[in-house]
Amino acid sequence: MEQITLALAKGRPAKKTITLLEKTGEHFPELTEESRKLVFHNSDQSIKLIFVKAVDVPTYVEKGAADIGIVGKDNILESLADVYELLDLKIGKCKFSVAGKANHYPADNQKLTIATKYPNVAKKHFKQKGQPIEIVKLNGSVELAPLIGLADYIVDIVETGDTLKENGLSILEDIETISTRLIVNKASFATKAAEVNQFIKQLKSALE
Amino acid sequence: MQKYVLSQNKNSNVEDFQMREQLITTFKNRFTTYGYKQVRTSTFEQYDMYGSITGTVNKDEMIKVIDTSGKVLVLRPDVTIPLARMNTATTNQRLFYVLDVFRQSIEQIDQKESTQAGVELFGDNSLEADAEVIVLAIHTLRDLGFTNFKIELGHAGFFKELVQQADLNQSQLETLKTYIHSKNLVEIEPFLNELRLADDLRNAIQLIPMMYGNPGDVITQAKQIILNASMQQVLQNIIDVYDVLVDYGVADSIVLNLGLINNMDYYSGIIFQGFLDNVGKPVLMGGRYDHLGKQFGKATPAIGFAFEVDYLVHALNQQGKAIVESGIDLIINYDKAKQKVALESAYQLRNEGLQVLTYLFDEKDTNRPPSTYIVNYTNDEQQLIIENKTITFASVNELVSQCLAVKEAK
């Protein structure tokens, strides 16, 4: 059997995935909470685990640097990566929404300014609606943008809606739901079919 | 001084270029053994030609130029279409090309050109032709030293036939294609449920992404979702082509992928793409396009494929298979007094096909490329040095035969 490389996003989804993997009998002896290493192997060396930034997981997988990735749908959508998306791990559930100030009414047919960390997602959504927009790409505290007049609306991930509420924003519409997905490189799916399918099967059984 | 960053695209250094040339030589040799003749198409093509043909290159991706008469031209965005237009043969014709194609996209602004090496077989719509073209792709990959690769075999008609029955609008069709393309089983199910299709049709579409893998298994699965005679025909076509491939002895390299949808809508029959270990994108794509010719006024059955040369170069580099010789065969050092005999031997050796550089003796000059042999013509003696062994020789002829003997032995 050939070794497969698994890219995980640091943080909560990684922890849950590793718990799932341990349930299926795959252990990563060197992996501990405090470890700052980025590469780990399981006991029989059949899986190489690498930790990368969530937004980079689709890139690693698309380019074949990792065979399999586990990452939020938000990052997959934003990256426009050409990969297979084979499994929903049903963790990290949230949604993409458009939000704004409650009493903000831009004139009809006006170009809207949208602040977001996810320009591709925002563009695609408003293009489908036929609404011209201008994107302001931000890297954090997106909720601030409508409050200080930087943007009409924001497109962002909403989990509980508390952050929006506390900042006086409300959801205008939902774009789509998000959860953690398993993605696979298209070449690996062809050339390492047995290993990849075995891994997916294991993970699936752990999910049930 | 202003510094210009060279595009890292390709051909930017000598080693890369050498490797590309080796690759291209391999293509030429192999394509020729299957009876293909090399052609080239114009770098500039009519924008209108691409514009008027449905299902080809995205118009935004073409690089346009306006000539002095105001006509819009594009830099060759693809080779298949001009070849299909050019082809006037009534009997079957086998053509191959190694050409640069030009496209631009917002995502990859730095990559406007890439090299394609491909073949087109016109005038033969037999399944034996389908199989032969696929075998040629496999044969070439083997020539390049790749062992772990897979050719995904599908059929343009399978998906088209199912979708026709579903009667989707353009945006629904795009969404469905995206889901099938990414084998997104999670989202395809609710999407199809919402469309309110007949049960057997919905079930069939939903199963398409997973119709993948071992040909025997996939064929068994596919038989269960056949809805009508034309789907039956499509499946039979795949089975027949696969059977020929089995007789060619390449079954190990084939997987079926009925969820394979090519972005080029002109494909009408068998379609296929090839994947190498660790290269995320297909290194080759191709298929049968029997109706493209019709758009130029003459329907000719045709099948072809193209390699993405840049991906192959990348793969060879990555797998450490790249063999590039940086040195040369022979260096001749000589004293001025021996100039005549030194230059004469250089000429003779070059005539025999050896790579030769000549230098006047100069102690200070140490900046010389590595070479297999060194020849020294000093005022007192003449010697040939091979791997620390010194051999003396009497005449130019003797030197030439010594060098050739060593080269032969290697």
Side-chain angles (χ1 to χ4, degrees):
Chain A
M1 291 284 260
E2 265 187 87
Q3 188 180 58
I4 52 172
T5 305
L6 170 66
L8 287 186
K10 291 175 202 157
R12 222 173 347 153
K15 273 187 207 156
K16 289 198 176 169
T17 312
I18 288 158
T19 317
L20 277 173
L21 284 174
E22 304 221 310
K23 250 168 82 182
T24 69
E26 298 296 352
H27 296 287
F28 297 85
E30 293 186 341
L31 182 63
T32 55
E33 288 276 333
E34 311 84 57
S35 177
R36 299 181 77 167
K37 274 178 69 172
L38 297 171
V39 183
F40 298 92
H41 292 91
N42 66 341
S43 328
D44 65 357
Q45 304 279 315
S46 63
I47 303 172
K48 177 163 122 192
L49 186 65
I50 56 174
F51 283 103
V52 303
K53 224 177 152 191
V55 286
D56 295 333
V57 172
T59 314
Y60 274 78
V61 175
E62 185 184 30
K63 302 238 177 221
D67 301 305
I68 300 179
I70 291 178
V71 67
K73 175 81 179 176
D74 50 332
N75 291 310
I76 304 171
L77 283 171
E78 181 58 27
S79 71
L80 308 171
D82 186 14
V83 294
Y84 291 137
E85 188 182 323
L86 296 175
L87 204 61
D88 185 353
L89 274 68
K90 302 204 167 69
I91 49 182
K93 277 191 188 169
C94 50
K95 60 188 177 183
F96 267 128
S97 300
V98 183
K101 280 198 292 190
N103 52 358
H104 179 67
Y105 302 106
D108 283 350
N109 299 329
Q110 274 271 308
K111 198 177 203 179
L112 295 176
T113 309
I114 308 293
T116 184
K117 273 197 272 186
Y118 302 90
N120 288 328
V121 173
K123 266 183 227 162
K124 187 177 157 211
H125 174 69
F126 285 101
K127 193 179 164 199
Q128 270 170 0
K129 295 180 61 164
Q131 166 72 52
I133 57 164
E134 191 174 309
I135 300 267
V136 179
K137 160 96 165 100
L138 297 176
N139 292 305
S141 306
V142 182
E143 295 81 4
L144 201 56
L147 301 179
I148 58 172
L150 180 62
D152 295 306
Y153 301 117
I154 62 169
V155 166
D156 206 8
I157 294 178
V158 180
E159 207 166 342
T160 57
D162 290 348
T163 319
L164 290 179
K165 237 177 266 166
E166 279 180 36
N167 288 293
L169 302 179
S170 52
I171 293 175
L172 301 167
E173 63 182 319
D174 291 334
I175 299 175
E176 65 176 289
T177 54
I178 292 164
S179 58
T180 303
R181 304 290 165 88
L182 177 137
I183 56 176
V184 179
N185 173 270
K186 290 193 168 183
S188 306
F189 197 70
T191 57
K192 294 186 185 173
E195 293 85 352
V196 169
N197 282 321
Q198 166 68 17
F199 181 82
I200 294 172
K201 226 166 96 186
Q202 260 182 332
L203 206 59
K204 244 184 192 165
S205 70
L207 280 170
E208 279 157 8
Chain B
M1 194 182 85
Q2 167 107 37
K3 287 209 175 175
Y4 293 97
V5 177
L6 279 174
S7 150
Q8 290 299 310
N9 222 349
K10 56 176 189 181
N11 294 357
S12 44
N13 66 51
V14 179
E15 287 78 19
D16 264 11
F17 187 82
Q18 304 279 324
M19 201 161 83
R20 299 175 72 83
E21 282 301 297
Q22 279 182 17
L23 266 179
I24 289 168
T25 309
T26 312
F27 292 140
K28 287 183 179 172
N29 291 341
R30 183 50 63 213
F31 294 167
T32 311
T33 63
Y34 281 69
Y36 287 81
K37 301 264 185 279
Q38 189 168 14
V39 286
R40 85 176 283 272
T41 68
S42 167
T43 310
F44 295 98
E45 292 288 349
Q46 303 277 345
Y47 174 70
D48 290 344
M49 176 180 82
Y50 280 96
S52 64
I53 288 176
T54 51
T56 60
V57 186
N58 183 340
K59 284 180 195 171
D60 296 343
E61 288 185 4
M62 292 192 259
I63 300 177
K64 294 117 194 150
V65 200
I66 298 173
D67 73 7
T68 46
S69 68
K71 222 184 307 165
V72 182
L73 303 172
V74 291
L75 293 179
R76 177 199 307 123
D78 124 292
V79 188
T80 302
I81 289 167
L83 280 185
R85 188 202 47 186
M86 267 166 48
N87 170 58
T88 49
T90 44
T91 56
N92 79 38
Q93 189 174 28
R94 290 168 155 82
L95 303 176
F96 83 88
Y97 57 85
V98 181
L99 288 170
D100 288 342
V101 296
F102 305 90
R103 291 185 199 179
Q104 57 188 355
S105 68
I106 301 164
E107 293 90 48
Q108 291 180 307
I109 206 114
D110 291 336
Q111 283 187 352
K112 293 194 186 68
E113 54 175 313
S114 63
T115 310
Q116 289 190 347
V119 305
E120 312 290 347
L121 166 51
F122 294 103
D124 188 343
N125 64 356
S126 68
L127 52 99
E128 290 77 15
D130 290 351
E132 189 195 272
V133 166
I134 294 168
V135 167
L136 173 53
I138 293 173
H139 206 154
T140 314
L141 285 173
R142 285 182 182 164
D143 287 344
L144 296 172
F146 294 111
T147 46
N148 194 8
F149 59 83
K150 288 279 186 257
I151 305 290
E152 292 183 358
L153 183 64
H155 197 293
F158 208 79
F159 177 70
K160 274 186 194 160
E161 196 57 45
L162 276 175
V163 166
Q164 229 162 38
Q165 298 185 34
D167 190 28
L168 304 175
N169 67 32
Q170 195 56 39
S171 102
Q172 287 168 331
L173 183 63
E174 284 307 315
T175 313
L176 181 60
K177 273 188 181 176
T178 317
Y179 288 151
I180 291 182
H181 203 68
S182 60
K183 301 203 183 298
N184 190 333
L185 304 176
V186 184
E187 281 159 62
I188 199 168
E189 193 178 337
F191 171 77
L192 289 172
N193 284 340
E194 225 161 85
L195 291 178
R196 307 190 173 285
L197 304 171
D199 278 354
D200 53 350
L201 181 59
R202 191 195 60 219
N203 185 39
I205 295 179
Q206 199 175 319
L207 285 173
I208 274 201
M210 280 297 111
M211 299 261 168
Y212 184 98
N214 180 296
D217 299 346
V218 174
I219 289 165
T220 317
Q221 283 178 342
K223 277 182 179 154
Q224 287 158 9
I225 63 161
I226 295 295
L227 298 176
N228 57 30
S230 44
M231 275 179 79
Q232 177 65 47
Q233 219 178 342
V234 166
L235 184 60
Q236 194 54 47
N237 186 220
I238 298 173
I239 296 172
D240 292 343
V241 171
Y242 179 67
D243 285 345
V244 182
L245 289 170
V246 171
D247 283 347
Y248 267 113
V250 297
D252 282 354
S253 307
I254 307 286
V255 291
L256 288 198
N257 182 5
L258 297 189
L260 183 59
I261 310 170
N262 201 299
N263 288 332
M264 297 287 192
D265 281 341
Y266 56 72
Y267 287 112
S268 59
I270 288 288
I271 47 177
F272 56 95
Q273 57 185 22
F275 283 106
L276 291 177
D277 232 6
N278 293 329
V279 183
K281 306 246 168 174
V283 295
L284 75 97
M285 283 210 220
R288 175 164 286 288
Y289 52 96
D290 290 346
H291 309 309
L292 184 62
K294 229 183 273 170
Q295 302 198 43
F296 298 114
K298 50 179 192 304
T300 316
I303 180 166
F305 71 83
F307 281 110
E308 289 291 342
V309 178
D310 303 284
Y311 294 161
L312 291 173
V313 171
H314 170 75
L316 285 173
N317 268 327
Q318 206 180 36
Q319 301 189 4
K321 289 207 176 77
I323 312 152
V324 176
E325 287 167 18
S326 57
I328 58 151
D329 290 335
L330 194 137
I331 286 181
I332 299 179
N333 300 304
Y334 61 95
D335 282 325
K336 190 70 187 169
K338 293 282 187 173
Q339 178 163 287
K340 186 173 180 333
V341 62
L343 296 184
E344 191 197 329
S345 16
Y347 187 91
Q348 291 291 344
L349 289 162
R350 284 170 178 151
N351 212 18
E352 294 297 336
L354 290 160
Q355 304 156 352
V356 182
L357 292 180
T358 58
Y359 294 94
L360 258 177
F361 265 121
D362 181 354
E363 296 297 322
K364 280 167 283 178
D365 183 11
T366 51
N367 186 20
R368 293 191 184 165
S371 69
T372 322
Y373 331 117
I374 294 174
V375 176
N376 291 325
Y377 282 105
T378 64
N379 290 328
D380 321 314
E381 55 183 352
Q382 46 192 37
Q383 46 180 217
L384 167 66
I385 305 169
I386 309 165
E387 292 162 354
N388 301 326
K389 250 192 337 194
T390 307
I391 303 167
T392 52
F393 56 91
S395 66
V396 173
N397 282 342
E398 203 184 320
L399 170 66
V400 172
S401 53
Q402 289 270 19
C403 287
L404 289 178
V406 175
K407 201 178 183 188
E408 202 95 321
K410 277 199 165 180

